[in-house]
Amino acid sequence: MNNPTTPQLRCFTSVQEYKDYFVRTICRLDIRTHDGYRVHIRPSHFKHAFYEDDGKDKKGRFSFYRAKYMDWIQPTLEHPAKCHQGWDYKKATRAPYKRVAYRYQTFIVVIEFRRNRRTQAIEAEFITCFDANHSFDKIARQPEWDPKVLNKL
């Protein structure tokens, strides 16, 4: 696997500091995937990306561990080492329009492709990101992502 120099980890002391940084900085980045698709990251993505199920509360709990990797999102999408097909947890099946990219160790970024209704352009929506150290082997065994699926959007 390609292991380029990793970006610094982002270390704040409060959830609000992370959220402010995410909204003010990460959501405003002009990110294009290595194959040229614009990636939309919205403030509403913060919760899905940086909260974990704690088994007690449907809201989950904020993960300082996950949030410190937020500066790795852009370089992972722009220069991935590899991309695999995503997974639909609700249907328990592969999701061809979801792409899992990795570049640094076991950190992954998941995006989903959609066709913009107004412009008809294919765009990507950020779904989540995390260190997949416990599930990375399973992810890496998934089929490589096939860009031909976008012809069906």
Side-chain angles (χ1 to χ4, degrees):
M1 178 180 357
N2 183 10
N3 270 328
T5 304
T6 56
Q8 293 287 330
L9 296 176
R10 179 72 44 195
C11 296
F12 291 124
T13 57
S14 74
V15 176
Q16 192 60 52
E17 286 176 295
Y18 277 109
K19 187 168 189 172
D20 290 346
Y21 179 77
F22 182 78
V23 171
R24 194 177 58 251
T25 306
I26 304 297
C27 292
R28 293 182 180 172
L29 292 171
D30 181 21
I31 300 176
R32 300 217 174 249
T33 61
H34 67 286
D35 45 0
Y37 297 101
R38 170 84 167 91
V39 179
H40 297 279
I41 302 179
R42 304 181 199 296
S44 60
H45 295 138
F46 181 82
K47 185 169 172 112
H48 190 229
F50 305 115
Y51 278 72
E52 294 178 310
D53 181 8
D54 64 1
K56 299 176 187 173
D57 186 345
K58 285 188 177 184
K59 294 179 186 175
R61 65 176 161 72
F62 181 75
S63 172
F64 284 90
Y65 179 78
R66 285 176 82 151
K68 70 183 180 180
Y69 291 97
M70 65 176 62
D71 286 325
W72 293 22
I73 296 169
Q74 183 176 18
T76 299
L77 290 171
E78 291 178 346
H79 307 285
K82 210 157 197 186
C83 294
H84 290 276
Q85 204 172 94
W87 185 256
D88 185 325
Y89 288 95
K90 291 179 183 174
K91 296 178 181 177
T93 186
R94 290 188 187 121
Y97 301 116
K98 287 186 180 178
R99 180 163 82 183
V100 179
Y102 60 87
R103 175 179 170 98
Y104 305 105
Q105 298 136 19
T106 56
F107 176 76
I108 66 163
V109 179
V110 181
I111 58 175
E112 184 169 8
F113 289 92
R114 298 184 177 121
R115 187 169 295 279
N116 182 305
R117 291 181 193 179
R118 186 175 50 79
T119 66
Q120 293 301 303
I122 294 173
E123 298 175 339
E125 185 89 10
F126 171 79
I127 302 296
T128 193
C129 63
F130 56 93
D131 179 4
N133 55 346
H134 298 297
S135 57
F136 187 77
D137 289 338
K138 187 176 179 180
I139 292 166
R141 284 193 306 267
Q142 294 299 314
E144 284 193 38
W145 186 78
D146 184 357
K148 292 179 199 153
V149 302
L150 299 180
N151 296 332
K152 298 175 186 174
L153 281 176

